[in-house]
Amino acid sequence: MGLKEKFRKSKVVGKVKQVHRPKKEKSNVRKDNSKRIAFFVWTLIFGILFIATLSILLSVNTRSTLNETNRNLLAAEDEETQEEISQEQANEFLSSFIRVYMNVPKDSEARQERASNLQNYMVFNDSFNNEKNDMYIAGGEGTRNLESFTLFNIEESQSNTVYQYKVVFTNKLETEVETGNGKNKKVETEVEEEQQTLLLNIPIVVENGLFSIPSVPYFTDVPSLAGNIEYETESIDLEEYNGNEKENIMIFLNNFFEKYTTETVEEMSYLMEEPETLNGSFLFEEIQDVVIYQDDDSYKVLLKVNFKDEISGIQQVNDIEMNISKDGSNFYVDEFKYK
């Protein structure tokens, strides 16, 4: 290598060494944390809303439970403070009232006495202490006569108790009518009357064992208590018996009912587990529609028994079910019941 080339190469190397790489400065650009912050903020908001909603629901539920508890306590206090009504005494009080209220005389003086008596049964207030109350002024020219009354039903309410009585009464009107002319002229009395049956509804209140009527009694129609109720007879899962003992059972049944209508309870104890008797109230006429079933070592018997009254001859036919067992040569009634 020549001197010139060495000099050139050393010069190039010197220049290369003189070139310095600038130091890499740290970037001043910050990372984007906005999404993380937004997520945290919304989570916080939703958490607050959830806690607030839960607090409201718990508060409402607690208040509802508290109100229910208070209602139960008040109801219990009312039950404790509500005076128990003696049905016998109430019926005695109302029976006396019904006789006064239902009987309306024609005579004005008797009506005034009725009004005074009615005041003794009513509550003490401005309305019923006033003798001009419509309840005391019956009005009309006719009369009302009570025929009979019976307690029908008792209806309970929070404010009072209503006793319903079935009352039979007659409304009657007598009017004088002139008939004929001249010497044949005369005055006759025409009578118009009608019998009715209604429910008399009487509210009562009680205090210290004493009764009063807080409002005017009212009439309603008597409801029917009869209903078409479906009722299926019990089925018997046994085979009908037609064996050798059937004739002996029939003889026993006839003898049994002869004694059942005439003998004493002591005598029937030899024939029945739970002895009973008609003791001469009816005569035994005949047995009908006998069906016998065998139940292991005993017999179930279904039959109709015709009794009759000795004097009138009026018949009484009853369905009877019997369970009969045999002890040696004798039969015995283990169970006896009317169907």
Side-chain angles (χ1 to χ4, degrees):
M1 178 182 299
L3 185 59
K4 291 183 179 180
E5 291 181 358
K6 288 182 178 180
F7 177 76
R8 190 181 300 117
K9 187 175 181 179
S10 62
K11 190 176 181 178
V12 171
V13 172
K15 288 183 179 180
V16 171
K17 289 181 178 181
Q18 290 178 359
V19 176
H20 297 285
R21 293 182 179 179
K23 292 183 178 180
K24 189 175 182 181
E25 296 182 0
K26 293 183 179 180
S27 175
N28 291 326
V29 179
R30 296 180 179 179
K31 293 182 179 180
D32 188 2
N33 295 321
S34 60
K35 291 184 178 181
R36 183 180 300 175
I37 295 172
F39 174 78
F40 173 77
V41 172
W42 281 111
T43 301
L44 182 62
I45 291 172
F46 282 122
I48 294 172
L49 290 175
F50 174 76
I51 293 173
T53 303
L54 185 61
S55 300
I56 293 172
L57 292 175
L58 289 174
S59 175
V60 170
N61 183 64
T62 303
R63 182 175 299 176
S64 176
T65 304
L66 182 60
N67 290 339
E68 182 67 24
T69 303
N70 290 335
R71 282 195 295 269
N72 292 336
L73 289 174
L74 290 174
E77 290 177 0
D78 289 341
E79 290 180 359
E80 291 177 358
T81 56
Q82 185 176 4
E83 189 169 349
E84 186 176 349
I85 295 178
S86 168
Q87 306 299 345
E88 294 79 11
Q89 292 180 349
N91 185 60
E92 178 67 22
F93 167 77
L94 292 173
S95 296
S96 176
F97 167 78
I98 290 171
R99 293 185 181 94
V100 177
Y101 181 75
M102 290 300 300
N103 287 308
V104 181
K106 184 177 181 179
D107 181 71
S108 59
E109 186 174 341
R111 287 195 177 195
Q112 184 60 44
E113 182 181 358
R114 171 182 176 270
S116 298
N117 290 334
L118 286 175
Q119 285 183 290
N120 297 327
Y121 296 94
M122 308 308 293
V123 294
F124 189 84
N125 60 25
D126 293 339
S127 175
F128 290 111
N129 290 336
N130 186 349
E131 62 182 12
K132 294 183 179 180
N133 187 291
D134 293 335
M135 177 181 175
Y136 309 137
I137 304 173
E141 299 294 329
T143 61
R144 184 171 69 196
N145 298 312
L146 177 67
E147 306 294 341
S148 64
F149 65 93
T150 53
L151 181 61
F152 183 84
N153 188 31
I154 302 173
E155 291 187 347
E156 300 282 351
S157 68
Q158 292 183 349
S159 57
N160 56 35
T161 302
V162 177
Y163 279 69
Q164 297 178 318
Y165 284 84
K166 181 179 177 181
V167 292
V168 180
F169 57 96
T170 301
N171 291 314
K172 186 176 181 180
L173 177 64
E174 296 182 356
T175 54
E176 294 183 347
V177 179
E178 292 184 354
T179 60
N181 296 313
K183 294 180 179 181
N184 296 325
K185 186 177 182 180
K186 59 181 180 180
V187 178
E188 295 182 350
T189 301
E190 290 186 352
V191 179
E192 182 182 355
E193 63 180 13
E194 179 186 21
Q195 187 177 87
Q196 288 184 284
T197 301
L198 293 172
L199 278 188
L200 178 63
N201 300 263
I202 313 171
I204 65 168
V205 290
V206 60
E207 184 177 303
N208 299 324
L210 301 177
F211 302 93
S212 289
I213 300 172
S215 59
V216 179
Y218 56 93
F219 292 99
T220 56
D221 194 20
V222 180
S224 173
L225 300 180
N228 295 322
I229 302 173
E230 292 186 5
Y231 182 79
E232 295 184 1
T233 57
E234 183 181 356
S235 60
I236 299 177
D237 190 19
L238 296 171
E239 291 185 5
E240 187 174 349
Y241 177 74
N242 290 297
N244 297 331
E245 292 288 356
K246 184 171 183 179
E247 184 178 351
N248 293 330
I249 293 173
M250 295 296 295
I251 294 172
F252 169 76
L253 291 172
N254 281 279
N255 291 334
F256 172 84
F257 283 105
E258 285 285 356
K259 294 180 180 296
Y260 178 75
T261 54
T262 57
E263 299 292 345
T264 62
V265 173
E266 290 77 11
E267 188 67 26
M268 294 304 296
S269 63
Y270 296 104
L271 299 174
M272 305 178 68
E273 182 68 25
E274 297 181 4
E276 59 181 276
T277 174
L278 293 178
N279 201 18
S281 299
F282 289 90
L283 298 178
F284 170 61
E285 186 74 6
E286 63 177 342
I287 57 176
Q288 305 168 352
D289 303 335
V290 181
V291 182
I292 303 172
Y293 301 93
Q294 186 165 11
D295 188 6
D296 294 331
D297 296 331
S298 62
Y299 304 92
K300 183 183 289 292
V301 182
L302 304 180
L303 71 162
K304 291 181 183 292
V305 183
N306 189 348
F307 305 102
K308 73 172 182 178
D309 181 75
E310 184 177 8
I311 297 175
S312 66
I314 295 175
Q315 294 184 339
Q316 175 76 21
V317 181
N318 290 105
D319 291 303
I320 295 175
E321 180 180 318
M322 305 169 66
N323 285 346
I324 300 173
S325 60
K326 190 173 184 180
D327 184 11
S329 59
N330 299 318
F331 289 98
Y332 187 77
V333 178
D334 298 312
E335 186 177 357
F336 179 94
K337 61 181 179 181
Y338 287 90
K339 297 289 286 182

